[in-house]
Amino acid sequence: HRGRGIEAIGRPRRTGVSRLAGDHRDVRPLSGEQSNSSVVLSNVAIAKLVRQLAPGDHPDVTLPTHLRANGFDHVPGVLGTLDLDLPGESSPGAVVVVHDLVPNECDLWQWSQDVLTREVEALASDHEPTSDDAGMIAVTGLLAQRTAEMHVALSMPGPGFDPQPFTLLWQRSVLQSLRASLRETQRLLRRSRGSLAEADTEAATRLLDDGDALLLGSFERMRKEKLDVARIRIHGDYHLGQVLWTGHDVVMIDFEGEPGRSIGERSIKRSALTDVGGMMRSFDYAGRVALATSQERGRISATQVAALEGWRRRWTTRVQDHFWQSYLEGIAGAELVGGGPPLVPADAEHATLLLDGNILSKALYEVRYELAQRPSWVGWPLAAIAQLLEKS
């Protein structure tokens, strides 16, 4: 289709796409917190309107296609795209991406909230804990295994996918980005310090006073010690809400990457532990939101929230540790093509350093996001940063 000098081209990505949809009027918009607008087509496909146009292949097309081509089928298939010729660009950009609709019960964020709120309310009423915790641990292990399989498939050779080794130059650029993120977070905290809740002030003060020491201490090693590890294409915005639960397995969705980054930035190869760090932070939020939700519903009191805080910390630590160990087992059992560096450093100290760096990067982003959107939640990522400060 042509209009006002711009050409739109529909590109089927596999045969028989036009026969999939029955009634073309059967269109159902999806609600919820999304960076794009999506609709379900005839209950067989989902079409996503891309709000940030950029020339070249879209990550939510290239990554699922590469994964399925390399034997990882826990992602939706790509049906097609609607591409626009962009003025001044040599290649078109996708404005609509269409995937298979994956039958599912819910995403893992909603699933975990259902499990955790039941557990919280049972504990608060002095009833026996539910049996859901064992199920959560089992699903966490499965998620870690599938995450490892996803990263192994993303490390397979292909145009734009060949792994690259870490270099000291790359590590210094990562450290510089971390430093810039810290500076911006500290700037926003100073501006908002007077409006912070009393409970959050201590953690904010520690970040303002000791944040530099954290970087100049533990993470400064990245400037001088080269890590033996690979950079690969990654999911880039990995959390519980990006994983569907089918009732017996998981399916990863939304590979477009972090909405705040440009398409070019999202295509940069990074450590696989960027995704792992994002999921670690998602587990922390899951426990905290479950307590907050139960209180908002009137199921538990503020006093009970305080009493259950110890349980929440233990649950978070247990789930995070299980995810990390299960992920390491999944990666250890994988065969990487080409004999290049591993996806996780064999040196345990380097692996922990890299994981902590990615957790810190995510938590700093969360502090900035919460200050702008949900100030009452800013204490949550601040607490995670305080834990890293204590480790250092």
Side-chain angles (χ1 to χ4, degrees):
H1 177 75
R2 289 182 178 273
R4 296 191 177 184
I6 297 178
E7 184 176 15
I9 305 171
R11 300 185 189 276
R13 300 288 173 148
R14 69 174 188 239
T15 59
V17 171
S18 61
R19 297 190 297 273
L20 286 177
D23 186 350
H24 293 287
R25 296 168 297 179
D26 185 3
V27 177
R28 173 168 53 88
L30 288 181
S31 58
E33 185 178 340
Q34 302 178 64
S35 57
N36 296 297
S37 301
S38 302
V39 296
V40 174
L41 307 173
S42 299
N43 230 32
V44 296
I46 181 167
K48 179 188 299 181
L49 178 65
V50 178
R51 295 176 185 168
Q52 186 183 127
L53 293 180
D57 289 328
H58 195 275
D60 211 10
V61 175
T62 54
L63 269 68
T65 300
H66 181 83
L67 285 166
R68 294 181 73 89
N70 286 281
F72 185 79
D73 58 2
H74 297 274
V75 292
V78 181
L79 293 174
T81 59
L82 179 64
D83 298 342
L84 289 182
D85 279 337
L86 303 176
E89 300 292 348
S90 59
S91 57
V95 66
V96 176
V97 178
V98 185
H99 293 95
D100 288 315
L101 182 67
V102 178
N104 66 90
E105 294 183 1
C106 57
D107 62 48
L108 277 187
W109 175 261
Q110 186 58 59
W111 185 85
S112 67
Q113 289 305 291
D114 291 344
V115 168
L116 287 168
T117 52
R118 286 197 299 269
E119 186 82 3
V120 165
E121 290 162 19
L123 290 168
S125 59
D126 293 326
H127 292 161
E128 287 294 320
T130 70
S131 61
D132 291 332
D133 187 60
M136 185 74 196
I137 292 296
V139 171
T140 298
L142 175 63
L143 174 62
Q145 176 65 35
R146 295 290 183 245
T147 303
E149 293 169 1
M150 175 182 74
H151 285 151
V152 170
L154 286 172
S155 74
M156 294 296 178
F161 282 87
D162 292 351
Q164 296 176 343
F166 265 45
T167 64
L168 282 177
L169 182 62
W170 168 256
Q171 290 173 204
R172 288 164 184 164
S173 73
V174 170
L175 192 59
Q176 184 59 36
S177 296
L178 203 54
R179 189 186 299 275
S181 179
L182 173 64
R183 294 283 186 268
E184 176 63 12
T185 306
Q186 289 173 324
R187 185 184 67 82
L188 293 174
L189 272 176
R190 287 190 184 94
R191 183 194 299 174
S192 307
R193 205 171 187 174
S195 60
L196 292 178
E198 184 177 349
D200 301 333
T201 302
E202 181 179 352
T205 299
R206 287 207 66 192
L207 179 57
L208 292 170
D209 293 346
D210 301 335
D212 289 358
L214 174 66
L215 275 178
L216 296 175
S218 299
F219 296 105
E220 188 65 20
R221 294 173 60 189
M222 293 183 65
R223 187 179 298 281
K224 301 174 182 177
E225 299 178 27
K226 192 176 85 66
L227 308 185
D228 184 28
V229 65
R231 294 164 50 206
I232 61 170
R233 295 290 299 276
I234 61 170
H235 184 287
D237 188 27
Y238 201 50
H239 53 78
L240 290 167
Q242 306 285 41
V243 184
L244 301 179
W245 175 244
T246 68
H248 58 85
D249 214 326
V250 295
V251 175
M252 287 68 168
I253 59 172
D254 290 343
F255 282 81
E256 63 190 286
E258 193 176 292
R261 296 183 185 270
S262 68
I263 294 294
E265 286 181 292
R266 300 179 206 180
S267 299
I268 294 173
K269 292 167 185 166
R270 305 177 190 276
S271 167
L273 299 192
T274 304
D275 286 342
V276 175
M279 191 58 70
M280 294 288 204
R281 293 297 308 131
S282 194
F283 287 130
D284 183 62
Y285 264 73
R288 294 178 185 277
V289 171
L291 283 179
T293 299
S294 294
Q295 184 180 7
E296 288 172 3
R297 292 175 177 172
R299 305 290 177 83
I300 61 175
S301 65
T303 301
Q304 288 173 313
V305 169
L308 287 168
E309 178 60 19
W311 166 85
R312 184 203 63 76
R313 291 180 182 177
R314 291 189 297 274
W315 177 88
T316 301
T317 299
R318 186 167 69 254
V319 172
Q320 288 177 334
D321 288 349
H322 187 59
F323 181 84
W324 176 231
Q325 293 304 317
S326 299
Y327 178 82
L328 290 177
E329 290 170 9
I331 288 293
E335 292 186 11
L336 302 181
V337 175
L343 297 181
V344 177
D347 184 303
E349 287 189 9
H350 284 176
T352 300
L353 177 69
L354 193 54
L355 177 61
D356 285 349
N358 281 293
I359 290 174
L360 174 61
S361 177
K362 185 68 174 180
L364 288 170
Y365 165 81
E366 290 166 352
V367 170
R368 297 193 299 273
Y369 181 87
E370 302 302 3
L371 284 173
Q373 304 293 332
R374 299 175 297 206
S376 62
W377 287 16
V378 74
W380 299 354
L382 281 173
I385 295 170
Q387 288 180 338
L388 290 173
L389 284 167
E390 289 170 8
K391 284 179 64 174
S392 67

